[in-house]
Amino acid sequence: EKMSMTMSENGKKSYHFEAPLIEGYTMAHDPYREFRKGIKITTYEADSVSSVSATLVANYAIFYEKRKLWEAKGNVVVEQSNGRKLYTSQLFWNQATHTIYSNVDSKIVDGDEVYNCEGFDSDESMTNWSYRKLKGVTYLEDSQLQQNSDAEADSTIVEQ
């Protein structure tokens, strides 16, 4: 309960996990860890000990240890340090291939552009996107951005 853990790769801080509850099932055929009460994952820049690259918050997550595959569900929000945001109800993160993807409706907010799609694939840094079914792109003015940002902040607060 009330877990906070920092992971490092090659001696550098890579990820920080926070979760109210973690359950591990190491004896399962495909061992996994389950985060039934939600999770927050913070990733860090490769060349920095403290510069945050992105954060992910979700109501539920599961991590398949052998496959190095994460699945996050329920009010999934990813926010990068450059301001790009992703909103979806389900997200997969494959640590082995360094990719993220979703098969459900998603919204990507990038500056003054809002992309609505039904599924996508991207590298884990969210720089190279491939939309499966792009439903539309909306261009916003500065005043609309502030209003949408305030509304999204209100709607992404999750009780745990």
Side-chain angles (χ1 to χ4, degrees):
E1 291 184 294
K2 298 180 184 174
M3 186 219 40
S4 178
M5 179 173 58
T6 301
M7 303 288 288
S8 60
E9 290 180 355
N10 301 324
K12 294 184 179 179
K13 185 169 150 183
S14 299
Y15 310 100
H16 180 77
F17 304 93
E18 295 176 53
L21 177 67
I22 179 175
E23 297 172 342
Y25 299 94
T26 57
M27 302 301 285
H29 176 67
D30 189 4
Y32 64 95
R33 292 182 217 153
E34 189 172 24
F35 304 83
R36 289 187 294 135
K37 294 188 177 183
I39 192 166
K40 178 181 180 182
I41 302 173
T42 305
T43 62
Y44 296 90
E45 299 289 343
D47 59 348
S48 173
V49 178
S50 60
S51 291
V52 172
S53 174
T55 58
L56 175 145
V57 178
N59 291 348
Y60 171 90
I62 189 166
F63 174 64
Y64 297 98
E65 296 174 15
K66 287 182 182 177
R67 295 184 277 162
K68 293 190 175 190
L69 179 66
W70 284 90
E71 178 185 6
K73 294 196 284 190
N75 295 321
V76 180
V77 178
V78 178
E79 186 170 355
Q80 289 186 293
S81 59
N82 65 7
R84 184 179 294 133
K85 296 178 185 176
L86 164 66
Y87 301 91
T88 188
S89 61
Q90 183 181 37
L91 180 71
F92 294 93
W93 173 25
N94 189 324
Q95 284 183 296
T97 61
H98 303 285
T99 57
I100 62 171
Y101 57 94
S102 182
N103 301 315
V104 299
D105 287 345
S106 303
K107 178 170 75 169
I108 296 100
V109 180
D110 189 6
D112 63 350
E113 300 173 345
V114 178
Y115 299 86
N116 291 293
C117 60
E118 187 179 308
F120 68 86
D121 295 284
S122 176
D123 58 338
E124 66 184 8
S125 63
M126 294 172 47
T127 54
N128 297 313
W129 293 89
S130 173
Y131 303 104
R132 294 206 188 111
K133 187 174 183 182
L134 188 61
K135 294 181 175 182
V137 179
T138 305
Y139 298 94
L140 303 173
E141 295 178 5
D142 287 340
S143 61
Q144 291 174 303
L145 281 173
Q146 183 58 42
Q147 290 171 353
N148 285 351
S149 179
D150 293 344
E152 287 168 354
D154 292 341
S155 68
T156 58
I157 296 173
V158 178
E159 288 187 27
Q160 299 209 12

